[in-house]
Amino acid sequence: MYYYEIAVFGTYTYDTFTYTYEEKLSPGQRVLIDFRNQQKLGVIISETDEKNYNVKEIELVVDYKPLIKNEHIKLIKNASKKFLVPISEMGKLIFPPASSDKIKIKIIPKSPLSNIEKPIFLNEYYRKFKTKKAANKALKKMIKENIVELNIHIKKELKKKRKVVILKKDIIEVLNEKISNSGIKVVNYINEKNNKIYENELYEQKIISRSSTALKTLIKKGIIEIIDEEEVNEEPFIVELTDKQKELKEKILKNKDEIDLLYGVTGSGKTEIFFEVMEEYLIKNKKIMIIIPEISLTPQFVSRIKKRFPAKNIGVYHSSINSSIRTKTWYDAVNGNIDIIIGTRSAVWIPLKDLGMIIIDEEHDQSLYQFDQISYDAVEIAYLRAKIEKIKLILSSATPTLREMKKAYKGEINLLELKERVFTEMPDIEVIDLKKEEKVSWIFTKKVLEEINKILKNNKKVLIFSPTKGYANYLICTNCGNVLKCDNCDVSYTYHRYENKLKCHYCGIEKKVPNSCPVCGNPELQLRGYGTERVVNELLKFFLSNKIIRMDREVIKTHEELNKAFEEIKKEGPAIIVGTKMITKGLDIEDIKLVVILDSDRYLNFPEYTSQEHTASLLIQVAGRSGRKEKGKVLLQTFKSESDFFKFVKEHNYDKIVELELKNREKYKYPPYSELLMIIFSNPKFETALKESEEFFNILKNKDLNVELLEPTEPLIPKLRGQYRYQIVIKGNIDHDEFYEIIKNYNKKMHIFLNPPTTLI
């Protein structure tokens, strides 16, 4: 018999557990086991010695060969220790989503002796037995006798073949043909779109109806042809690099497996540099992983990659894609069928075959840190992978984190800078003092509305950033001052006017607006603050005839809706785009000439040590959406126009903000000059959350840990999703091995966050 240490998925355990099997297995194989009388999936971490106590047998081997390598096992172990989270959950992250109705174990009969007539799913097979244990015993015997085999059934993605319409004749030639008005509309539309479009576009944009015969007529006359998308032979769209871009490309290639920080202003062509570097790796049959912070960036990023590398297989991986397609993408990546994988933070775990390089775009973004369930930082995971797998890592941003800037200044990573835009100058930033400037409404100053009007008249676009969605941030009683709060969370409801509802943006609960204050009965309730919905309503008073596009997670809930919104924005002509953080990340629309930032002080006033860094990054990133092809303008409304902070933002001087903020962090011993560990205990009972936090605090206090230890306190949101919460904050040089053992031995569930980008958890 052989003995194995197994990380058991979904058990929230810091230990591996020993199981035995009669055949030799390898680390990385997944197995089904009996864990505390429940059937669980796990992964073999290592082989171990024979034990002198009773050891349970592995019930079933799921993978006939390991799907992950020893390097990935090492990644699981190291990440578990680094982020102080259970190895059972880290092990689960590296595999695809294992939803029972999407990925299933299938039994394939190989001989009539099996008494199984046709392939069946494991769950169906279990129904023939009293217990799963008995079923697995019989199945194991049949596998050993080679009369059945197991396969992972992956639901196949039904790919609809898209038809492409190509204009074959020159527009001048077409004018000499006798064609209908509908035909002329089709030809003009295709001509505007560089002579090639998807057929569906003609119907979606109402150029013609589906019943129209215009396309058949145009095909007969040889004016157009319609072919399957797969038959289109695309030439790579290659942009000629500037001398500076070429210089940085050569440095990156020369640095080989070192870590590079590509620090360039918005619009400086960072993406084109790593496209050229990717080319060199792809020629050597190395695969590329690109991590982006937001799902909203995916459509335009995938479009650019496909244009640049039309012959390569590209995979997309993020949570908005259903689990069956993600599972297929995962297996394609592991089997070497994908050349370039693009995804959000969860994609950083994919064990892509022949991986040569990881690129993290917008590396400053907080979305790269996972807060839900198991916390980790995708950038730090990429660092671990680069070291363990000896691969290239490129970090790219116009506003790198202080952590990366400090590493670059110390020479731990390579700093590569781009200080100028490729096509145009940086936009002018004008700081508008809300204390002095004339206001037309309490959202907009007169100057802002005048500038918007000027841009729209010039047939260009305006981007307006509002920090929050909804109509009003909260509802308050004018008599007793009671703010209407969510019953599950200790936060105020946001009012949504269109639906006339109060919504909690933390737990998602909704309720009708009450007729009176629930505390004192006063019927006068007042709306305070504003979000995107109210901004749009206000704009309609002044720009009723103009197109206004709202982009936030209330109106855009699916990947398809996101794609449609981007298509709408790309259309030529004047428009106002109103959005939250969703629009600040990598949005590259050429004719956005003006950016307006409404509430610049909001994030700066947050009670946390990262507020200066994140506000600077946010404002500079939003400002960077303006004037991508010709010089643009940014209007920034604030009550603190005289502060040095806004002076540096106006000058696009992120370096100065970094310099001052690093001094503050060093002075007060905050990351990146120490580690910050936040541990949150939560429970439906207030007393239990407090008791567990105090118990654990006392355990830590009695250890010689050489760290700053803060007593349990309520976090900023003391109740969230029906759970009362208490937090312990630890600051200093943390001994991860020691803390791992302490947390493991305490053996009660807690939420652990190492160096989170925000302390407002």
Side-chain angles (χ1 to χ4, degrees):
M1 296 293 279
Y2 298 89
Y3 292 80
Y4 302 98
E5 292 299 324
I6 294 171
V8 187
F9 299 163
T11 57
Y12 206 85
T13 48
Y14 284 82
D15 277 317
T16 54
F17 295 86
T18 309
Y19 285 80
T20 185
Y21 199 68
E22 58 198 13
E23 294 174 19
K24 180 84 170 171
L25 301 174
S26 301
Q29 283 180 279
R30 284 177 299 173
V31 292
L32 283 175
I33 51 169
D34 174 22
F35 182 83
R36 295 170 187 167
N37 297 319
Q38 285 187 313
Q39 189 181 70
K40 293 285 184 182
L41 189 65
V43 62
I44 296 173
I45 297 296
S46 63
E47 191 173 348
T48 187
D49 299 328
E50 185 176 345
K51 305 299 176 187
N52 57 6
Y53 51 82
N54 285 336
V55 176
K56 288 182 181 179
E57 278 193 49
I58 289 169
E59 293 196 352
L60 214 56
V61 179
V62 174
D63 303 319
Y64 73 93
K65 66 174 184 178
L67 294 172
I68 61 173
K69 296 180 179 178
N70 287 331
E71 293 95 328
H72 305 125
I73 298 286
K74 192 174 180 182
L75 174 67
I76 291 168
K77 289 178 177 177
N78 288 8
S80 177
K81 279 279 173 75
K82 182 171 184 64
F83 291 99
L84 302 171
V85 299
I87 194 168
S88 63
E89 309 315 298
M90 279 301 183
K92 192 177 175 183
L93 288 172
I94 209 162
F95 287 98
S99 171
S100 60
D101 60 334
K102 301 293 182 188
I103 171 175
K104 299 180 180 179
I105 299 166
K106 212 167 195 181
I107 303 166
I108 314 294
K110 296 174 76 177
S111 160
L113 296 172
S114 67
N115 291 325
I116 299 172
E117 292 179 12
K118 59 182 182 180
I120 61 167
F121 288 111
L122 185 60
N123 281 346
E124 192 181 335
Y125 174 75
Y126 282 154
R127 292 190 199 111
K128 299 178 180 182
F129 294 82
K130 284 186 177 179
T131 65
K132 285 182 180 179
K133 193 168 185 176
N136 286 333
K137 189 176 179 181
L139 185 55
K140 200 190 304 186
K141 186 173 183 290
M142 288 193 288
I143 293 168
K144 192 176 179 182
E145 291 170 356
N146 201 32
I147 57 177
V148 299
E149 67 179 11
L150 297 184
N151 272 345
I152 299 292
H153 173 74
I154 302 163
K155 209 171 185 180
K156 287 183 181 175
E157 180 187 357
L158 291 173
K159 268 200 169 181
K160 291 179 183 175
K161 283 190 176 179
R162 296 208 287 180
K163 297 287 185 182
V164 177
V165 185
I166 297 171
L167 187 62
K168 292 176 73 180
K169 288 188 177 181
D170 188 86
I171 195 76
I172 304 298
E173 289 180 76
V174 176
L175 292 174
N176 297 322
E177 299 274 359
K178 285 187 178 180
I179 53 176
S180 65
N181 287 337
S182 295
I184 291 167
K185 280 171 74 178
V186 169
V187 170
N188 284 337
Y189 187 77
I190 303 171
N191 184 53
E192 285 171 12
K193 298 283 183 173
N194 295 323
N195 300 334
K196 185 176 66 186
I197 56 156
Y198 289 114
E199 183 183 347
N200 270 348
E201 232 181 286
L202 293 169
Y203 311 130
E204 287 167 4
Q205 301 302 323
K206 296 185 169 52
I207 306 300
I208 53 170
S209 66
R210 290 185 184 273
S211 59
S212 172
T213 58
L215 294 184
K216 285 181 182 176
T217 306
L218 293 172
I219 290 168
K220 276 183 188 176
K221 290 179 177 287
I223 295 169
I224 64 166
E225 68 173 336
I226 300 178
I227 60 174
D228 288 335
E229 186 177 17
E230 290 81 4
E231 296 171 29
V232 179
N233 291 317
E234 295 271 5
E235 285 295 316
F237 181 74
I238 300 171
V239 175
E240 180 68 29
L241 298 186
T242 64
D243 289 343
K244 183 64 179 176
Q245 286 174 316
K246 285 176 186 173
E247 179 194 323
L248 296 190
K249 172 201 163 184
E250 293 307 319
K251 281 185 179 179
I252 291 170
L253 291 171
K254 189 180 175 184
N255 292 340
K256 292 188 178 175
D257 294 342
E258 294 174 20
I259 296 166
D260 293 322
L261 174 61
L262 192 53
Y263 170 29
V265 297
T266 54
S268 59
K270 298 183 290 296
T271 307
E272 297 305 333
I273 293 173
F274 56 69
F275 277 1
E276 291 301 305
V277 174
M278 283 166 62
E279 179 80 66
E280 299 294 327
Y281 276 76
L282 290 165
I283 287 168
K284 295 171 186 172
N285 294 318
K286 289 294 182 182
K287 313 295 187 186
I288 310 294
M289 175 182 285
I290 302 175
I291 304 298
I292 53 179
E294 278 282 347
I295 292 168
S296 61
L297 291 175
T298 314
Q300 62 175 19
F301 211 101
V302 171
S303 174
R304 287 182 74 177
I305 295 273
K306 282 182 175 176
K307 283 179 183 174
R308 180 61 182 81
F309 302 101
K312 297 299 177 185
N313 292 322
I314 296 161
V316 182
Y317 195 93
H318 57 69
S319 59
S320 280
I321 297 170
N322 74 51
S323 59
S324 63
I325 296 172
R326 269 188 291 156
T327 298
K328 184 182 183 304
T329 301
W330 189 91
Y331 277 92
D332 283 343
V334 169
N335 292 324
N337 300 327
I338 287 177
D339 301 305
I340 303 166
I341 190 96
I342 304 162
T344 48
R345 62 175 179 258
S346 60
V348 78
W349 296 96
I350 296 174
L352 185 60
K353 189 178 182 181
D354 298 322
L355 178 61
M357 176 165 63
I358 298 175
I359 296 166
I360 300 193
D361 198 25
E362 311 289 355
E363 71 81 26
H364 63 275
D365 201 286
Q366 291 186 37
S367 300
L368 292 167
Y369 194 101
Q370 173 154 308
F371 289 95
D372 296 338
Q373 298 169 341
I374 295 300
S375 75
Y376 65 86
D377 185 337
V379 178
E380 292 286 7
I381 298 299
Y383 269 107
L384 287 175
R385 290 197 72 168
K387 186 179 178 182
I388 294 167
E389 299 174 55
K390 295 179 173 56
I391 54 175
K392 183 74 182 171
L393 173 60
I394 300 175
L395 308 171
S396 173
S397 177
T399 54
T401 60
L402 265 65
R403 174 184 64 194
E404 265 58 62
M405 291 299 280
K406 176 176 174 275
K407 283 180 180 177
Y409 291 156
K410 289 183 73 178
E412 294 172 18
I413 60 176
N414 303 312
L415 180 62
L416 307 172
E417 295 185 80
L418 283 166
K419 291 292 188 183
E420 294 177 356
R421 283 186 162 183
V422 175
F423 297 108
T424 182
E425 299 173 65
M426 293 298 288
D428 290 328
I429 298 178
E430 185 176 343
V431 178
I432 295 175
D433 192 331
L434 287 169
K435 298 193 295 291
K436 299 173 184 174
E437 197 70 35
E438 183 185 345
K439 298 183 188 73
V440 174
S441 73
W442 61 287
I443 296 177
F444 293 105
T445 57
K446 184 181 178 183
K447 183 172 183 61
V448 163
L449 292 174
E450 286 172 348
E451 289 289 336
I452 292 172
N453 190 46
K454 198 187 299 180
I455 296 298
L456 295 174
K457 281 185 175 177
N458 286 330
N459 216 33
K460 300 294 182 184
K461 291 185 175 69
V462 178
L463 183 73
I464 299 177
F465 171 70
S466 172
T468 56
K469 57 188 177 180
Y471 188 83
N473 302 139
Y474 61 98
L475 200 59
I476 188 170
C477 172
T478 57
N479 180 51
C480 70
N482 173 52
V483 173
L484 275 71
K485 288 187 175 183
C486 172
D487 297 329
N488 292 328
C489 312
D490 197 10
V491 290
S492 59
Y493 282 113
T494 300
Y495 174 62
H496 291 256
R497 185 179 180 182
Y498 180 74
E499 299 167 278
N500 194 30
K501 282 181 180 176
L502 295 174
K503 293 185 182 182
C504 174
H505 288 170
Y506 284 85
C507 70
I509 198 168
E510 300 177 5
K511 66 184 292 185
K512 290 180 181 178
V513 180
N515 295 322
S516 60
C517 173
V519 174
C520 71
N522 173 41
E524 291 183 20
L525 300 173
Q526 194 175 80
L527 297 168
R528 296 278 178 89
Y530 62 86
T532 48
E533 189 183 0
R534 193 165 198 166
V535 172
V536 169
N537 273 39
E538 198 70 20
L539 285 166
L540 286 169
K541 295 176 186 176
F542 305 100
F543 306 104
L544 188 59
S545 61
N546 288 99
K547 185 198 290 184
I548 300 176
I549 302 163
R550 181 177 151 205
M551 285 189 74
D552 61 49
R553 299 201 188 284
E554 281 298 313
V555 291
I556 296 174
K557 293 184 172 75
T558 66
H559 199 50
E560 289 72 28
E561 287 171 346
L562 181 64
N563 280 327
K564 281 182 183 175
F566 275 119
E567 286 303 316
E568 195 62 34
I569 290 170
K570 284 177 188 174
K571 288 178 186 174
E572 287 183 15
I576 302 172
I577 304 145
V578 179
T580 52
K581 272 188 180 180
M582 181 185 272
I583 61 170
T584 70
K585 301 171 184 182
L587 186 66
D588 193 358
I589 306 297
E590 291 181 8
D591 58 347
I592 291 176
K593 201 78 167 63
L594 175 68
V595 166
V596 179
I597 302 170
L598 294 177
D599 189 358
S600 304
D601 305 326
R602 182 183 178 88
Y603 291 106
L604 204 55
N605 293 327
F606 275 7
E608 62 170 336
Y609 77 96
T610 58
S611 61
Q612 292 261 337
E613 176 188 1
H614 290 148
T615 306
S617 177
L618 179 68
L619 297 183
I620 289 168
Q621 290 287 343
V622 180
R625 303 311 112 206
S626 176
R628 305 288 281 197
K629 287 295 179 188
E630 54 184 67
K631 191 169 181 178
K633 190 171 185 177
V634 179
L635 299 177
L636 194 155
Q637 294 189 158
T638 175
F639 284 101
K640 299 179 179 179
S641 62
E642 68 286 345
S643 75
D644 285 342
F645 177 84
F646 285 107
K647 177 191 165 200
F648 298 140
V649 170
K650 184 179 179 179
E651 295 168 353
H652 301 276
N653 194 348
Y654 185 67
D655 288 339
K656 192 66 182 174
I657 294 169
V658 168
E659 180 192 324
L660 294 175
E661 194 56 20
L662 280 174
K663 284 178 183 174
N664 281 332
R665 299 281 183 91
E666 187 173 20
K667 181 180 177 181
Y668 297 108
K669 294 184 173 60
Y670 276 106
Y673 292 95
S674 71
E675 287 189 302
L676 181 73
L677 190 63
M678 294 183 70
I679 301 176
I680 292 184
F681 291 85
S682 56
N683 197 280
K685 292 181 180 177
F686 168 84
E687 299 82 5
T688 307
L690 176 59
K691 182 188 170 192
E692 288 183 355
S693 65
E694 287 177 338
E695 275 178 2
F696 192 67
F697 174 77
N698 288 328
I699 290 169
L700 296 177
K701 195 169 70 171
N702 292 325
K703 303 273 185 185
D704 186 19
L705 297 171
N706 196 28
V707 292
E708 186 181 344
L709 188 60
L710 304 183
E711 289 187 4
T713 57
E714 287 185 330
L716 193 70
I717 303 171
K719 188 183 180 188
L720 188 64
R721 301 181 186 97
Q723 302 273 318
Y724 291 96
R725 311 187 320 146
Y726 267 86
Q727 69 180 20
I728 297 169
V729 177
I730 300 153
K731 218 166 44 161
N733 295 318
I734 292 166
D735 184 328
H736 286 246
D737 288 328
E738 187 173 9
F739 265 85
Y740 195 86
E741 289 302 313
I742 294 168
I743 293 165
K744 180 177 79 174
N745 293 332
Y746 183 61
N747 200 27
K748 286 185 182 174
K749 194 165 182 179
M750 57 186 88
H751 298 281
I752 298 167
F753 306 93
L754 178 74
N755 300 329
T758 174
T759 55
L760 306 179
I761 299 168

